[in-house]
Amino acid sequence: MKLGIDFGTSNSAAAAHIDGTSVPIRFGEALQFRTTVYFPGVMRDPNDFELTPALEQQVEQLVESARRDIRASGISRRPEQLRADALRVVRRQWMEERIREPQSSTTLLQNALYGDEALEAYFEENEGNLVQSPKSMLGYNLHPRARQTITGIATHILEHIRLTASRQLRHNVRSAVLGRPVQFRSSIGAAGNDQALEILRSAALAAGFDEIEFLEEPAAAAMHYHAVSTQRHEAVIVDVGGGTTDIAHASVGGDSAPQIHRAWGIARGGTDIDLALSLACYMPLFGRGITRVPTHHYVEAATVQDMTRQRDFRQHDYRAVDAPYGPRLQALQDTGNTARLYRAVEDCKIALSTDTLHASPLDFIEPTLVVETAAPQLADAARGYLDQLEAMLQQVRADIGPAPAAVFLTGGMSRAGYIQQTAAGVFPEATLVQGDPSFGVVQGLALAASRD
């Protein structure tokens, strides 16, 4: 039995295709879970290294040993270079000993919690580590230790999915088709795609999968749309997710197999709207555009998916910033509060997709602090992303020639009216088909898995 897995930026889901029917995997009472991981305790950081008297003695012993070797060989070395080499050796040994301790990152990850349960545990415990949207970091330039950590996190998410599916299906699941975007978010160009796939493949093998295949997410969505289409027609498949937006041109429907002609993608999605909304409507209450606090500090606070930026934000000193903004920024630095703020922004974005006004209490910052946001403000925040989406859709239209009969929308962000309006504006002749926003891709992945 082969599983279809949608390892998403915002949410993850899995399904199997059994006897002609898609069987979703339940995670508790839900059919998906927030791609968020919490593990208790504190993971060791090389920056925690301190030269204690005992460690200083080890350094001196290594330096003296190196001096004896040098005298014997006749090679000249500067004393400061000898000490630097000895420090590196002692520091590496210190890290290796920490990793072997019971509180190592491996042990911590084995005690991980997932989804909304992870958020609640993080808020309640007020310590430990919370990683949100690890998929968004797979294509970035990673220090070897950071890459190891991200691989470990991805491993435990995939293991959580595999074991949950195995229990529900009463079958030891060892094979899967894993969805992937056309373009991963990346800071190293095309190499980011290769790195992301390497990390996911390593994580899947470590999670207990003996066989893993990748399928581009819009192609998976096209397979799902094909399964519910009786007549053969040309379609543009638009999958708008949290971190990426992917498009495919396909022939679907009828008795013939679906045919994917071409795919396009940009590394932008719902999280980019979240960031813009946070900066425009929430961060002014913390002094953005009012104080002399640099703008990048607010970007760091709002980008909860980036562990490095979150660490940098927590290290800033805001004691000299005038009230109320300095105290608010200090409160935002408290454990869990950037995650609480991000969740408030997400809830606001979702609410304003249908409502005209939304109020977000920020009592975790200040007892009576509230952000009121109107629908036009969300539209303004989404404008940068929508311009990119429209440009890509225009490129698709130019590349495919004749207009398609249908535009099929899926992905969590496809619920938003402004996404639907943008697609309809570029393809006015096509029928706009709203697919299952949360499960269109995973159902296609399950179908693809069943055909192998």
mmCIF file of all heavy atoms in Angstrom, residues 403-431:
data_model
loop_
_atom_site.group_PDB
_atom_site.id
_atom_site.type_symbol
_atom_site.label_atom_id
_atom_site.label_comp_id
_atom_site.label_asym_id
_atom_site.label_seq_id
_atom_site.Cartn_x
_atom_site.Cartn_y
_atom_site.Cartn_z
ATOM 1 N N ALA A 403 -7.300 29.541 -25.173
ATOM 2 C CA ALA A 403 -7.764 29.597 -23.786
ATOM 3 C C ALA A 403 -8.263 28.227 -23.334
ATOM 4 O O ALA A 403 -8.892 27.493 -24.116
ATOM 5 C CB ALA A 403 -8.869 30.631 -23.648
ATOM 6 N N PRO A 404 -8.030 27.851 -22.092
ATOM 7 C CA PRO A 404 -8.518 26.561 -21.588
ATOM 8 C C PRO A 404 -10.021 26.607 -21.374
ATOM 9 O O PRO A 404 -10.621 27.681 -21.240
ATOM 10 C CB PRO A 404 -7.778 26.412 -20.264
ATOM 11 C CG PRO A 404 -7.588 27.826 -19.802
ATOM 12 C CD PRO A 404 -7.325 28.626 -21.048
ATOM 13 N N ALA A 405 -10.628 25.431 -21.315
ATOM 14 C CA ALA A 405 -12.065 25.366 -21.036
ATOM 15 C C ALA A 405 -12.357 25.662 -19.576
ATOM 16 O O ALA A 405 -13.434 26.149 -19.231
ATOM 17 C CB ALA A 405 -12.603 23.995 -21.406
ATOM 18 N N ALA A 406 -11.394 25.350 -18.697
ATOM 19 C CA ALA A 406 -11.630 25.520 -17.268
ATOM 20 C C ALA A 406 -10.367 25.943 -16.551
ATOM 21 O O ALA A 406 -9.244 25.632 -16.987
ATOM 22 C CB ALA A 406 -12.169 24.226 -16.650
ATOM 23 N N VAL A 407 -10.550 26.657 -15.461
ATOM 24 C CA VAL A 407 -9.474 26.949 -14.508
ATOM 25 C C VAL A 407 -9.890 26.306 -13.188
ATOM 26 O O VAL A 407 -10.935 26.638 -12.622
ATOM 27 C CB VAL A 407 -9.256 28.463 -14.329
ATOM 28 C CG1 VAL A 407 -8.244 28.721 -13.217
ATOM 29 C CG2 VAL A 407 -8.787 29.092 -15.637
ATOM 30 N N PHE A 408 -9.084 25.365 -12.731
ATOM 31 C CA PHE A 408 -9.373 24.613 -11.511
ATOM 32 C C PHE A 408 -8.530 25.168 -10.378
ATOM 33 O O PHE A 408 -7.296 25.192 -10.461
ATOM 34 C CB PHE A 408 -9.077 23.128 -11.735
ATOM 35 C CG PHE A 408 -9.315 22.257 -10.537
ATOM 36 C CD1 PHE A 408 -10.608 21.888 -10.177
ATOM 37 C CD2 PHE A 408 -8.253 21.791 -9.763
ATOM 38 C CE1 PHE A 408 -10.832 21.062 -9.079
ATOM 39 C CE2 PHE A 408 -8.470 20.971 -8.665
ATOM 40 C CZ PHE A 408 -9.763 20.612 -8.315
ATOM 41 N N LEU A 409 -9.182 25.634 -9.326
ATOM 42 C CA LEU A 409 -8.487 26.237 -8.187
ATOM 43 C C LEU A 409 -8.469 25.286 -6.999
ATOM 44 O O LEU A 409 -9.497 24.702 -6.642
ATOM 45 C CB LEU A 409 -9.180 27.537 -7.763
ATOM 46 C CG LEU A 409 -9.153 28.711 -8.741
ATOM 47 C CD1 LEU A 409 -9.988 29.857 -8.198
ATOM 48 C CD2 LEU A 409 -7.725 29.171 -8.992
ATOM 49 N N THR A 410 -7.318 25.149 -6.367
ATOM 50 C CA THR A 410 -7.200 24.365 -5.147
ATOM 51 C C THR A 410 -6.125 24.994 -4.277
ATOM 52 O O THR A 410 -5.492 25.977 -4.649
ATOM 53 C CB THR A 410 -6.883 22.887 -5.463
ATOM 54 O OG1 THR A 410 -6.993 22.102 -4.270
ATOM 55 C CG2 THR A 410 -5.493 22.734 -6.048
ATOM 56 N N GLY A 411 -5.907 24.411 -3.101
ATOM 57 C CA GLY A 411 -4.976 24.995 -2.137
ATOM 58 C C GLY A 411 -5.720 25.884 -1.155
ATOM 59 O O GLY A 411 -6.762 26.467 -1.483
ATOM 60 N N GLY A 412 -5.192 25.981 0.057
ATOM 61 C CA GLY A 412 -5.878 26.709 1.113
ATOM 62 C C GLY A 412 -6.243 28.134 0.762
ATOM 63 O O GLY A 412 -7.314 28.631 1.132
ATOM 64 N N MET A 413 -5.373 28.834 0.025
ATOM 65 C CA MET A 413 -5.636 30.231 -0.310
ATOM 66 C C MET A 413 -6.674 30.398 -1.411
ATOM 67 O O MET A 413 -7.144 31.504 -1.654
ATOM 68 C CB MET A 413 -4.330 30.917 -0.734
ATOM 69 C CG MET A 413 -3.409 31.268 0.419
ATOM 70 S SD MET A 413 -4.168 32.456 1.558
ATOM 71 C CE MET A 413 -4.456 33.826 0.451
ATOM 72 N N SER A 414 -7.047 29.298 -2.087
ATOM 73 C CA SER A 414 -8.009 29.417 -3.187
ATOM 74 C C SER A 414 -9.405 29.775 -2.695
ATOM 75 O O SER A 414 -10.271 30.138 -3.494
ATOM 76 C CB SER A 414 -8.065 28.111 -3.984
ATOM 77 O OG SER A 414 -8.629 27.058 -3.218
ATOM 78 N N ARG A 415 -9.629 29.702 -1.380
ATOM 79 C CA ARG A 415 -10.924 30.124 -0.830
ATOM 80 C C ARG A 415 -11.130 31.634 -0.974
ATOM 81 O O ARG A 415 -12.263 32.104 -1.006
ATOM 82 C CB ARG A 415 -11.002 29.782 0.659
ATOM 83 C CG ARG A 415 -10.915 28.319 1.022
ATOM 84 C CD ARG A 415 -11.020 28.162 2.532
ATOM 85 N NE ARG A 415 -10.968 26.779 2.981
ATOM 86 C CZ ARG A 415 -9.851 26.153 3.307
ATOM 87 N NH1 ARG A 415 -8.694 26.793 3.230
ATOM 88 N NH2 ARG A 415 -9.883 24.897 3.715
ATOM 89 N N ALA A 416 -10.041 32.381 -0.997
ATOM 90 C CA ALA A 416 -10.134 33.841 -0.969
ATOM 91 C C ALA A 416 -10.724 34.378 -2.268
ATOM 92 O O ALA A 416 -10.297 34.001 -3.370
ATOM 93 C CB ALA A 416 -8.754 34.447 -0.737
ATOM 94 N N GLY A 417 -11.682 35.272 -2.132
ATOM 95 C CA GLY A 417 -12.321 35.857 -3.309
ATOM 96 C C GLY A 417 -11.352 36.585 -4.206
ATOM 97 O O GLY A 417 -11.494 36.552 -5.441
ATOM 98 N N TYR A 418 -10.336 37.237 -3.636
ATOM 99 C CA TYR A 418 -9.398 37.991 -4.475
ATOM 100 C C TYR A 418 -8.530 37.069 -5.322
ATOM 101 O O TYR A 418 -8.082 37.457 -6.402
ATOM 102 C CB TYR A 418 -8.544 38.945 -3.643
ATOM 103 C CG TYR A 418 -7.923 38.366 -2.390
ATOM 104 C CD1 TYR A 418 -6.764 37.601 -2.447
ATOM 105 C CD2 TYR A 418 -8.480 38.613 -1.144
ATOM 106 C CE1 TYR A 418 -6.183 37.082 -1.300
ATOM 107 C CE2 TYR A 418 -7.911 38.103 0.019
ATOM 108 C CZ TYR A 418 -6.759 37.340 -0.061
ATOM 109 O OH TYR A 418 -6.196 36.832 1.084
ATOM 110 N N ILE A 419 -8.308 35.824 -4.857
ATOM 111 C CA ILE A 419 -7.592 34.851 -5.684
ATOM 112 C C ILE A 419 -8.476 34.424 -6.856
ATOM 113 O O ILE A 419 -8.039 34.373 -8.015
ATOM 114 C CB ILE A 419 -7.199 33.614 -4.853
ATOM 115 C CG1 ILE A 419 -6.260 34.002 -3.706
ATOM 116 C CG2 ILE A 419 -6.586 32.546 -5.739
ATOM 117 C CD1 ILE A 419 -4.891 34.430 -4.125
ATOM 118 N N GLN A 420 -9.727 34.131 -6.572
ATOM 119 C CA GLN A 420 -10.655 33.716 -7.612
ATOM 120 C C GLN A 420 -10.857 34.820 -8.649
ATOM 121 O O GLN A 420 -10.895 34.554 -9.858
ATOM 122 C CB GLN A 420 -11.990 33.333 -6.968
ATOM 123 C CG GLN A 420 -11.880 32.167 -5.996
ATOM 124 C CD GLN A 420 -13.122 31.964 -5.148
ATOM 125 O OE1 GLN A 420 -14.172 32.516 -5.455
ATOM 126 N NE2 GLN A 420 -13.004 31.198 -4.071
ATOM 127 N N GLN A 421 -10.958 36.054 -8.192
ATOM 128 C CA GLN A 421 -11.153 37.180 -9.113
ATOM 129 C C GLN A 421 -9.940 37.368 -10.010
ATOM 130 O O GLN A 421 -10.080 37.682 -11.203
ATOM 131 C CB GLN A 421 -11.429 38.453 -8.313
ATOM 132 C CG GLN A 421 -12.777 38.443 -7.598
ATOM 133 C CD GLN A 421 -12.875 39.514 -6.529
ATOM 134 O OE1 GLN A 421 -12.054 40.423 -6.464
ATOM 135 N NE2 GLN A 421 -13.889 39.399 -5.671
ATOM 136 N N THR A 422 -8.760 37.182 -9.466
ATOM 137 C CA THR A 422 -7.545 37.333 -10.275
ATOM 138 C C THR A 422 -7.497 36.279 -11.372
ATOM 139 O O THR A 422 -7.198 36.583 -12.536
ATOM 140 C CB THR A 422 -6.297 37.228 -9.383
ATOM 141 O OG1 THR A 422 -6.340 38.248 -8.381
ATOM 142 C CG2 THR A 422 -5.024 37.386 -10.207
ATOM 143 N N ALA A 423 -7.809 35.027 -11.028
ATOM 144 C CA ALA A 423 -7.797 33.956 -12.026
ATOM 145 C C ALA A 423 -8.859 34.193 -13.096
ATOM 146 O O ALA A 423 -8.603 34.030 -14.303
ATOM 147 C CB ALA A 423 -8.014 32.604 -11.353
ATOM 148 N N ALA A 424 -10.054 34.594 -12.665
ATOM 149 C CA ALA A 424 -11.135 34.843 -13.619
ATOM 150 C C ALA A 424 -10.810 36.023 -14.530
ATOM 151 O O ALA A 424 -11.198 36.035 -15.706
ATOM 152 C CB ALA A 424 -12.443 35.100 -12.869
ATOM 153 N N GLY A 425 -10.078 37.014 -14.010
ATOM 154 C CA GLY A 425 -9.728 38.170 -14.820
ATOM 155 C C GLY A 425 -8.771 37.841 -15.946
ATOM 156 O O GLY A 425 -8.832 38.442 -17.020
ATOM 157 N N VAL A 426 -7.887 36.881 -15.720
ATOM 158 C CA VAL A 426 -6.923 36.496 -16.758
ATOM 159 C C VAL A 426 -7.541 35.519 -17.753
ATOM 160 O O VAL A 426 -7.222 35.530 -18.944
ATOM 161 C CB VAL A 426 -5.663 35.887 -16.108
ATOM 162 C CG1 VAL A 426 -4.690 35.403 -17.188
ATOM 163 C CG2 VAL A 426 -4.983 36.901 -15.205
ATOM 164 N N PHE A 427 -8.468 34.670 -17.273
ATOM 165 C CA PHE A 427 -9.105 33.677 -18.145
ATOM 166 C C PHE A 427 -10.631 33.882 -18.118
ATOM 167 O O PHE A 427 -11.371 33.031 -17.611
ATOM 168 C CB PHE A 427 -8.763 32.266 -17.676
ATOM 169 C CG PHE A 427 -7.311 31.913 -17.762
ATOM 170 C CD1 PHE A 427 -6.501 31.963 -16.628
ATOM 171 C CD2 PHE A 427 -6.735 31.541 -18.969
ATOM 172 C CE1 PHE A 427 -5.159 31.628 -16.699
ATOM 173 C CE2 PHE A 427 -5.392 31.208 -19.049
ATOM 174 C CZ PHE A 427 -4.590 31.259 -17.909
ATOM 175 N N PRO A 428 -11.134 34.989 -18.667
ATOM 176 C CA PRO A 428 -12.575 35.266 -18.589
ATOM 177 C C PRO A 428 -13.426 34.277 -19.367
ATOM 178 O O PRO A 428 -14.602 34.083 -19.054
ATOM 179 C CB PRO A 428 -12.686 36.684 -19.166
ATOM 180 C CG PRO A 428 -11.485 36.840 -20.043
ATOM 181 C CD PRO A 428 -10.396 36.066 -19.371
ATOM 182 N N GLU A 429 -12.852 33.620 -20.388
ATOM 183 C CA GLU A 429 -13.638 32.684 -21.205
ATOM 184 C C GLU A 429 -13.782 31.328 -20.526
ATOM 185 O O GLU A 429 -14.628 30.520 -20.910
ATOM 186 C CB GLU A 429 -12.949 32.467 -22.567
ATOM 187 C CG GLU A 429 -12.534 33.745 -23.282
ATOM 188 C CD GLU A 429 -11.081 34.123 -22.988
ATOM 189 O OE1 GLU A 429 -10.601 33.785 -21.880
ATOM 190 O OE2 GLU A 429 -10.446 34.750 -23.858
ATOM 191 N N ALA A 430 -12.943 31.029 -19.544
ATOM 192 C CA ALA A 430 -12.910 29.708 -18.931
ATOM 193 C C ALA A 430 -13.920 29.600 -17.795
ATOM 194 O O ALA A 430 -14.258 30.585 -17.132
ATOM 195 C CB ALA A 430 -11.509 29.403 -18.400
ATOM 196 N N THR A 431 -14.381 28.389 -17.558
ATOM 197 C CA THR A 431 -15.221 28.110 -16.401
ATOM 198 C C THR A 431 -14.340 27.991 -15.162
ATOM 199 O O THR A 431 -13.355 27.245 -15.161
ATOM 200 C CB THR A 431 -15.998 26.793 -16.597
ATOM 201 O OG1 THR A 431 -16.828 26.905 -17.753
ATOM 202 C CG2 THR A 431 -16.854 26.483 -15.376
#
